[in-house]
Amino acid sequence: SKAQLVIIGEGPLRRSLQALSATLHIADRVRFLGARPHAEVLARMRSAAALVLPGVQTGTGRAEGLGLVLLEAAATGVPVIASRVGGMPEAVIDGRTGFLVPQRDAAALAERLETLLDDAGLRRALGAQGRALVEERFDRCRQTAALESLYDSLL
């Protein structure tokens, strides 16, 4: 079966993306679900082949922060593809937990996505490494202990 793109969330680009999908004759393979409850987002994420977050830096220099959704995907064992911008590289180790691509590089993003869609073993391996990374680097108890240690050193 052909891959399907599911876009969850609302934003100012929704209408133009819907129009673009129609222009490209792929509207039957792109679903715009709008805003959804967090539990549903997590459930859909778990069944996805990958989570893709192609962030960009705006003209004013604003960029995606860490990208909590990247950590949520990794925690559920889903490989991710994200832009090498803002805080996203903190959540993705390129080639180990997912892939990082240059911002606004549609060809690189498509190539990485095709690589993942064609290789279930790679998806599983990257997903497992992503989960391990989240457990190791973003564990709440470890982060709290590190913060307390920092506070102690400042006092």
Side-chain angles (χ1 to χ4, degrees), residues 120-142:
L122 179 62
R123 287 196 309 271
R124 281 192 298 276
L126 294 178
Q129 288 289 327
R131 182 168 172 79
L133 176 74
V134 169
E135 290 172 353
E136 170 194 319
R137 193 181 286 180
F138 297 99
D139 175 75
R140 187 182 318 193
C141 293
R142 283 198 190 127

Side-chain angles (χ1 to χ4, degrees), residues 18-123:
Q18 285 175 309
L20 180 61
S21 70
T23 301
L24 296 174
H25 306 291
I26 59 169
D28 60 323
R29 294 178 53 200
V30 182
R31 294 180 58 205
F32 293 86
L33 300 184
R36 289 289 197 247
H38 191 246
E40 181 182 340
V41 172
L42 291 177
R44 288 185 179 277
M45 196 182 294
R46 277 186 211 98
S47 66
L51 181 119
V52 181
L53 187 61
V56 296
Q57 189 168 355
T58 67
T60 60
R62 289 193 60 214
E64 181 81 29
L66 177 59
L68 184 58
V69 70
L70 295 175
L71 298 179
E72 290 174 329
T76 61
V78 175
V80 299
I81 302 172
S83 299
R84 190 178 277 108
V85 65
M88 290 190 215
E90 292 179 47
V92 182
I93 299 174
D94 191 40
R96 194 175 125 208
T97 66
F99 295 118
L100 290 169
V101 297
Q103 66 173 331
R104 302 182 197 280
D105 189 339
L109 191 145
E111 180 184 319
R112 290 306 196 182
L113 187 54
E114 188 173 16
T115 296
L116 280 181
L117 292 175
D118 288 345
D119 191 339
L122 179 62
R123 287 196 309 271

